[in-house]
Amino acid sequence: MVEALAGPGDIVVGITTSGTRRTSCGALEAAKKRGATAVAFTGNGGGTVGDVADLVLVGPDGYSAIVQEVHIVMGHIICDLVEQELLFRVSRSVSTPHPD
């Protein structure tokens, strides 16, 4: 799917608690070959996917369920930051008069 849809300017996210999932590594490698940015959510030290991704978000070592819960929190934080940035940009463009 990444090979068919990803391209420059896109972001492809791979999620793996161990950092060694072949499908996540393969998808991120394909994304990079197509010019997309590869982001990995991982745990347990990053693993192989940490070597492949452009940006790596590493959760804790240990039990997969805990790593997954940390991934969920990281995802919520990223969504909040993106939302804040978009709202800031919109508020600036609305409050800034545009020349005719």
Side-chain angles (χ1 to χ4, degrees), residues 2-3 6 12-14 22-32 38 52:
V2 171
E3 291 174 350
V12 176
V13 178
R22 285 191 336 209
T23 53
S24 295
C25 291
L28 295 181
E29 287 172 345
K32 289 178 72 169
V52 174

Side-chain angles (χ1 to χ4, degrees), residues 26-47:
L28 295 181
E29 287 172 345
K32 289 178 72 169
K33 285 180 186 173
R34 299 199 41 81
T37 299
V39 176
F41 282 63
T42 186
N44 296 301

Side-chain angles (χ1 to χ4, degrees), residues 76-91:
H76 281 286
I77 291 169
I78 291 168
C79 289
D80 184 57
L81 292 170
V82 168
E83 185 177 84
Q84 288 180 41
E85 178 65 22
L86 291 174
L87 289 173
F88 176 74
R89 288 181 185 189
V90 168
S91 69

